[in-house]
């Protein structure tokens, strides 16, 4: 539960902090030189925790590590639902590519796609709450876990945005540049 409490504190810090109004996406290094988070126009994204490394693990240990990560995400989701009610799922696979007239995608979602391409990053769906009332105005919160990928352990991330986190085509969906 200590890890869930720390994740809730990290989400609160993201919600309470200032979000850049404009500018390019910038990545922040972690103490070990890996990816420690990103921020850009209207969002912040950061890792909450990494699961057990999967490289070289027998399949049973890999499955146990992913199950443990899934259980932690379920506990975090439950705690966030206690605060804000049920979440919505936003598929990262259904996002437009920005090519062929699809138009631009929110910088946050582009960064999630980019982080995914570099190794650990969410695949599948973001669990989204919002708008959440904050002193800074309405914000949207999302969490997701990337599965083991090669040498990369499963990673759970949190994001906060000042624009709705929605798939293209959802009612009220807004795309940003």
């Amino acid at each position: 539960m200590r890890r869930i409490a720390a994740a809730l504190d990290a989400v609160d810090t993201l919600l309470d902090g200032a979000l850049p109004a404009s500018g390019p996406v910038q990545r922040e290094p972690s103490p070990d030189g890996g990816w420690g988070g990103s921020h850009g126009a209207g969002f912040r994204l950061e890792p909450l925790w990494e699961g057990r490394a999967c490289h070289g693990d027998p399949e049973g240990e890999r499955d146990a590590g992913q199950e443990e990560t899934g259980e932690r995400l379920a506990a975090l989701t439950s705690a966030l639902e206690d605060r804000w009610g049920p979440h919505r799922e936003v598929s990262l696979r259904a996002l437009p590519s920005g090519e062929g007239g699809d138009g631009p995608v929110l910088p946050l979602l582009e960064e999630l796609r980019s982080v995914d391409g570099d190794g650990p990053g969410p695949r599948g769906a973001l669990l989204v709450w919002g708008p959440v009332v904050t002193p800074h105005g309405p914000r949207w919160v999302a969490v997701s876990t990337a599965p083991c990928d090669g040498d990369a352990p499963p990673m759970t991330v949190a994001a906060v945005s000042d624009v709705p986190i929605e798939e293209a085509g959802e009612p009220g969906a807004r795309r940003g540049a």
Side-chain angles (χ1 to χ4, degrees), residues 56-149:
D57 283 349
E59 192 167 320
E61 288 181 36
R62 178 184 303 240
D63 291 345
Q66 297 213 150
E67 183 176 323
E68 177 183 284
T69 299
E71 289 170 0
R72 286 186 190 139
L73 179 62
L76 176 59
T77 300
S78 178
L80 293 172
E81 286 180 339
D82 287 346
R83 289 180 174 187
W84 302 313
H87 66 274
R88 292 180 304 105
E89 287 193 14
V90 173
S91 173
L92 290 172
R93 295 181 181 168
L95 294 175
S97 65
E99 300 171 6
D102 287 336
V105 175
L106 287 173
L108 165 63
L109 300 177
E110 280 292 337
E111 179 62 5
L112 282 165
R113 186 182 285 161
S114 176
V115 169
D116 185 17
D118 289 349
R123 294 172 181 81
L126 290 170
L127 309 180
V128 179
W129 291 265
V132 173
V133 177
T134 74
H136 305 286
R139 293 200 170 166
W140 287 257
V141 176
V143 296
S144 187
T145 295
C148 289
D149 183 22

Side-chain angles (χ1 to χ4, degrees), residues 18-70:
L19 300 177
S22 62
V25 173
Q26 295 183 10
R27 291 192 174 178
E28 302 155 13
S30 67
D32 66 3
W35 177 75
S38 302
H39 61 275
F43 79 90
R44 289 199 179 274
L45 172 66
E46 73 176 48
L48 296 176
W49 66 75
E50 285 187 357
R52 290 187 281 175
C54 299
H55 182 67
D57 283 349
E59 192 167 320
E61 288 181 36
R62 178 184 303 240
D63 291 345
Q66 297 213 150
E67 183 176 323
E68 177 183 284
T69 299

